[in-house]
């Protein structure tokens, strides 16, 4: 990691925890324990990472105390000059880092970012023309009949997104999610044979369905996407292309994904989280072409609660870090390590969805090991290996038990593990899976062969000791 964990950072954390401890010792204890747990586990959750002390410390301040609904220079509260500075600096870094004309750094999470984006697209493409047609400038000027007609139109727009079992996110139109209810939704999947995105099939589905919004992006698809092709499909059917790059924003920032694989020049609206491969604080952000900027700017208070100025401060720090050359090296290592992990798993007989990876994650089908994803996830955790179970395409075990394990490289790459270490990680994962068996017909209960947890724990401890988390940080 870029930052140097000096005595200064240690002193800052010690002092902060002492102050917390004086009021509620259990919170100070849980915070210390979380550091110990994170230091001691092989964290392979594809959506997690470790932020730098500069990012973490930026969040612990009185910026948290300020209400600042609205946006830079246009707030619903007085005295927001310092929040304006914070938000401006964060947005400037975001624009520069991603080469975007407009950035909005207020969303509290990726889901919030997607909700603001949907709202902004509806407001721009449906509500504004609806108002104009009724001769109004604002919804409050509409007659009740015109407002009901507009509400009906707004509530019947179409969204086409990647299905959950193909790797899409809940917010991409999954029916139980609000995105599946606020839109007339349809999903696209992957080719049943190759498990890869089939752009021809997607184009055909888009032609037939004619969505207002085409969503690209994923949470569990182990491949890159051609966003130029996505934009061509969107343009052909008159859709707005929205890309959710939450998982791979770090690879975009680090210029591992460039050209057609960089969503920002191709999408109308790009959303992301800031805490995954981007290695910032928990939060979201939105990039957009100017046509959507005004509507996105009204995200708070129309969709979001008041901005978290302390988190926007940390986003600014993280985005500044991501603009350094070292972040590009990190991002390349994330991708190289994922490839090494995939090769190591394949060499040891595992089946990977799509046969491999070219991003930061692999999706391991555990069926051949005779267990469900749930059993695999639990057995790996017993051995100190933290992953999460994940559905695979057409998963016979559904989204709860699943048949897959999602394994990602951003966090351990931040600790300094390289390709040789990720090959060792592959060996440990396969060791656990080969030694796990289901208990009876249960999809959750399992038995781990004697000695496995101890053996894998010891090997993981060696890898972790050689690559310490926050080296030099003592509490
Ligand atoms: N929870 C995130 C993930 O793990 O991919 C997505 O919301």
């Amino acid at each position: 990691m870029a930052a140097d964990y000096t005595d200064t950072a240690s002193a800052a954390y010690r002092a902060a925890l002492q102050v917390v401890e004086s009021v509620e010792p259990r919170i100070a204890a849980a915070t210390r324990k979380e550091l110990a747990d994170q230091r001691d586990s092989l964290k392979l959750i594809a959506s997690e990472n470790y932020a730098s002390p500069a990012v973490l410390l930026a969040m612990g301040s009185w910026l948290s105390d300020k209400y600042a609904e609205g946006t830079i220079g246009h707030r619903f509260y007085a005295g927001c000059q310092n929040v304006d500075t914070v938000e401006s600096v964060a947005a400037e870094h975001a624009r520069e880092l991603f080469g975007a004309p407009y950035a909005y750094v207020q969303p509290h999470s990726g889901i919030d970012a997607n909700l603001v984006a949907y709202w902004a697209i509806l407001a721009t493409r449906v509500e504004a023309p609806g108002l104009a047609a009724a001769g109004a400038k604002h919804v409050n000027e509409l007659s009740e009949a015109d407002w009901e007609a507009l509400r009906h139109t707004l509530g019947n727009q179409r969204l086409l997104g990647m299905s959950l079992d193909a790797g899409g996110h809940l917010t991409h139109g999954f029916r139980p999610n609000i995105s599946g209810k606020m839109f007339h939704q349809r999903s696209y999947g992957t080719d049943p044979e190759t498990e890869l995105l089939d752009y021809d099939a997607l184009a055909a589905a888009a032609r037939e369905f004619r969505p207002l919004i085409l969503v690209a992006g994923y949470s569990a698809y182990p491949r890159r996407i051609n966003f130029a092709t996505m934009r061509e499909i969107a343009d052909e059917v008159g859709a707005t292309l929205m890309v959710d790059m939450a998982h791979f924003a770090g690879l975009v920032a680090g210029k591992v994904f460039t050209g057609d694989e960089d969503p920002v020049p191709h999408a109308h609206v790009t959303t992301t989280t800031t805490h995954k491969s981007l290695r910032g604080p928990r939060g979201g952000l939105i990039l957009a072409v100017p046509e959507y900027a005004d509507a996105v700017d009204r995200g708070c208070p129309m969709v979001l609660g008041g901005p978290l100025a302390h988190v926007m401060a940390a986003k600014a720090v993280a985005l500044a870090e991501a603009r350094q050359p070292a972040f590009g090296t990190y991002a390349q290592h994330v991708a190289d390590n994922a490839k090494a992990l995939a090769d190591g798993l394949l060499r040891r007989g595992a089946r990977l969805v799509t046969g491999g990876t070219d991003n930061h994650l692999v999706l391991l089908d555990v069926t051949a090991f005779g267990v469900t994803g749930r059993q695999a996830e639990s057995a790996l955790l017993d051995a100190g290996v933290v992953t999460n179970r994940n559905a695979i395409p057409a998963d016979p075990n559904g989204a709860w038990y699943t048949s897959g394990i999602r394994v990602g490289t951003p966090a351990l790459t931040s600790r300094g593990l390289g390709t040789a270490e990720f090959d060792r990680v592959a060996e440990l994962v396969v060791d656990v899976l080969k030694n796990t068996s289901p208990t009876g017909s249960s999809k959750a209960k399992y038995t781990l062969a004697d000695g496995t947890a101890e053996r894998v724990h010891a090997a993981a401890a060696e890898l972790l000791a050689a690559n310490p988390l926050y080296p030099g940080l003592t509490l």
Side-chain angles (χ1 to χ4, degrees):
M1 298 178 81
D4 178 24
Y5 299 100
T6 60
D7 290 345
T8 311
S10 296
Y13 284 114
R14 272 199 296 272
L17 287 169
Q18 275 169 20
V19 174
V20 172
E21 194 162 34
S22 69
V23 179
E24 180 41 284
R26 290 174 295 181
I27 297 302
T31 307
R32 290 193 181 97
K33 176 76 166 42
E34 181 61 23
L35 176 61
D37 288 353
Q38 295 217 17
R39 279 179 159 162
D40 292 346
S41 59
L42 215 51
K43 175 149 106 168
L44 291 163
I45 292 182
S47 49
E48 292 188 6
N49 211 328
Y50 305 104
S52 74
V55 168
L56 299 176
L57 286 166
M59 279 185 281
S61 89
W62 34 89
L63 284 167
S64 167
D65 295 337
K66 189 74 194 97
Y67 246 125
E69 288 183 19
T71 191
I72 305 161
H74 302 276
R75 306 285 183 185
F76 289 83
Y77 292 82
C80 295
Q81 59 279 4
N82 300 310
V83 179
D84 278 353
T85 302
V86 166
E87 186 168 349
S88 300
V89 172
E92 177 193 303
H93 280 309
R95 286 193 305 271
E96 293 292 326
L97 177 64
F98 292 110
Y102 164 80
Y104 184 66
V105 296
Q106 291 193 20
H108 312 319
S109 69
I111 286 182
D112 287 359
N114 286 351
L115 282 176
V116 172
Y118 291 146
W119 177 82
I121 296 165
L122 287 171
T124 304
R125 292 202 51 197
V126 182
E127 186 172 294
L131 290 176
K137 284 203 163 66
H138 191 279
V139 289
N140 288 339
E141 295 172 5
L142 292 174
S143 68
E144 283 304 302
D146 282 342
W147 175 230
E148 277 310 310
L150 181 54
R151 270 179 12 93
H152 183 79
T153 309
L154 282 163
N156 281 289
Q157 296 302 312
R158 296 175 181 197
L159 178 135
L160 180 62
M162 195 177 203
S163 67
L164 196 66
D165 73 341
H169 188 253
L170 295 169
T171 53
H172 298 177
F174 185 53
R175 283 188 176 176
N177 182 265
I178 188 166
S179 59
K181 298 184 170 81
M182 66 191 280
F183 289 104
H184 174 196
Q185 61 77 228
R186 202 171 281 181
S187 300
Y188 57 88
T190 46
D191 180 87
E193 295 297 316
T194 63
E195 298 172 316
L196 295 169
L197 259 178
D198 178 343
Y199 295 98
D200 291 336
L202 171 51
R207 271 180 217 121
E208 201 251 310
F209 187 53
R210 302 198 78 79
L212 177 81
I213 305 176
L214 173 61
V215 183
Y218 52 78
S219 286
Y221 180 67
R223 297 291 176 176
R224 303 181 187 192
I225 291 178
N226 186 323
F227 294 108
T229 302
M230 283 288 188
R231 177 60 185 260
E232 280 170 24
I233 295 170
D235 283 348
E236 188 191 329
V237 300
T240 297
L241 177 62
M242 176 178 144
V243 176
D244 177 349
M245 65 168 181
H247 261 263
F248 52 91
L251 300 181
V252 177
K255 311 289 180 243
V256 175
F257 290 5
T258 57
D260 292 351
E261 295 168 354
D262 176 353
V264 181
H266 303 292
H268 298 94
V269 182
T270 306
T271 62
T272 185
T273 53
T274 46
H275 50 273
K276 296 188 175 91
S277 54
L278 197 50
R279 214 164 65 185
R282 304 199 73 75
L285 70 80
I286 300 175
L287 309 168
V289 297
E291 180 189 355
Y292 295 97
D294 281 352
V296 174
D297 252 349
R298 284 180 278 129
C300 168
M302 294 301 129
V303 179
L304 298 174
L308 309 175
H310 57 307
V311 181
M312 292 195 294
K315 287 175 188 172
V317 174
L319 292 164
E321 288 178 348
R323 292 181 66 189
Q324 300 302 312
F327 194 85
T329 307
Y330 162 72
Q332 188 58 54
H333 287 168
V334 167
D336 293 345
N337 286 340
K339 180 89 173 58
L341 175 67
D343 290 348
L345 290 167
L346 290 168
R347 222 176 39 254
R348 293 173 178 89
R351 190 188 93 75
L352 303 183
V353 171
T354 77
T357 180
D358 51 28
N359 56 23
H360 64 296
L361 68 88
V362 301
L363 190 54
L364 169 54
D365 177 356
V366 296
T367 309
F369 294 98
V371 292
T372 63
R374 169 106 188 246
Q375 289 160 329
E377 174 193 86
S378 302
L380 286 162
L381 189 63
D382 290 347
V385 182
V386 188
T387 62
N388 68 283
R389 64 187 186 279
N390 207 104
I392 62 172
D395 199 313
N397 288 320
W400 179 249
Y401 292 110
T402 83
S403 304
I405 288 290
R406 190 183 64 166
V407 190
T409 56
L412 290 182
T413 303
S414 290
R415 281 184 82 143
L417 275 75
T419 51
E421 289 83 3
F422 270 94
D423 184 63
R424 180 81 169 122
V425 169
E427 187 182 347
L428 301 181
V429 168
V430 172
D431 187 355
V432 173
L433 295 178
K434 279 187 169 164
N435 285 290
T436 304
S437 43
T439 305
S441 59
S442 172
K443 289 187 174 186
K445 295 187 185 142
Y446 61 96
T447 311
L448 193 53
D450 285 350
T452 309
E454 295 75 9
R455 180 173 67 249
V456 172
H457 257 296
E462 267 180 41
L463 284 174
L464 296 172
N467 298 278
L469 175 62
Y470 302 134
L473 180 68
T474 55
L475 297 183

